[in-house]
Amino acid sequence: VHGETALCPGFMAKLYAPQETVRYRDLTFTGTDKEYFDTVAKSSTLYVSKLNPEATEDILYALFSTVGEVSNVILGVNRVTGKPCGFAFVVYLRRAAAERAMALLNKRNVLGQRILLDFDFGYVEGRERGRGVNGGQAVADFEEAVLQLGWRSAVDAEKTRSAPTAAMDGAT
């Protein structure tokens, strides 16, 4: 046996093992949590985040098609400006290709930025538009607060914003 696999038994099996974790649950999905995760488990769509704004659909298509047949690439845009805002959807023809992409391309450097991949329930028209306060990704709003306020202040602000009030709890 030659190459890396001789030095590390099971290397290829681990490399191509499907990633079971989904870090994100899109609130636009109208079903239950179980239905969401069942759909994601069968989906051939990847959500790509942390993209350099200079990335184009052509660049992403060229990269992601190296591991399987891509049916569509949808670049996320700021809903106000229409400019790319750091995310995309990559739709493969088969789930196995999406799993290979997850194993081989997640956390890879693309145009100077380390991209993050996650399985997605599937692209739906309109999801390419950012949902953040300023039209971009919502996570960018939080990251900006972290930079401006410092980590602890931003986390405290998020907890305060999402904490139920006494009136909402029914307390008097």
Side-chain angles (χ1 to χ4, degrees):
V1 180
H2 301 289
E4 294 176 275
T5 55
L7 300 174
C8 186
F11 172 77
M12 294 306 283
K14 289 177 187 170
L15 182 63
Y16 288 106
Q19 303 287 323
E20 296 302 325
T21 58
V22 175
R23 296 181 301 273
Y24 176 73
R25 198 244 194 244
D26 192 296
L27 299 178
T28 63
F29 185 84
T30 57
T32 65
D33 283 352
K34 181 181 180 342
E35 291 168 332
Y36 177 80
F37 291 110
D38 287 348
T39 302
V40 168
K42 298 173 192 161
S43 177
S44 62
T45 301
L46 294 176
Y47 179 83
V48 184
S49 63
K50 303 291 186 184
L51 270 176
N52 183 319
E54 301 296 316
T56 65
E57 288 178 351
D58 289 341
I59 289 170
L60 296 176
Y61 185 87
L63 173 66
F64 283 91
S65 64
T66 63
V67 298
E69 195 171 352
V70 173
S71 68
N72 203 3
V73 174
I74 302 98
L75 198 57
V77 295
N78 182 301
R79 75 173 185 282
V80 176
T81 67
K83 294 181 180 178
C85 64
F87 73 97
F89 298 93
V90 176
V91 183
Y92 282 97
L93 290 180
R94 292 175 187 76
R95 170 72 182 200
E99 290 172 354
R100 278 193 304 277
M102 179 67 84
L104 296 170
L105 302 176
N106 190 30
K107 299 182 182 176
R108 296 293 181 223
N109 188 323
V110 176
L111 298 177
Q113 287 188 209
R114 192 171 164 182
I115 63 170
L116 296 177
L117 305 180
D118 206 354
F119 288 104
D120 188 80
F121 74 88
Y123 172 73
V124 176
E125 182 79 30
R127 288 188 65 212
E128 75 280 4
R129 292 187 285 281
R131 291 178 274 175
V133 173
N134 296 314
Q137 286 185 283
V139 70
D141 297 334
F142 181 76
E143 289 170 349
E144 185 176 330
V146 168
L147 291 173
Q148 289 180 357
L149 302 172
W151 173 251
R152 179 55 41 211
S153 297
V155 170
D156 291 343
E158 180 63 18
K159 285 180 184 174
T160 302
R161 187 182 70 77
S162 62
T165 63
M168 290 173 64
D169 288 337
T172 55

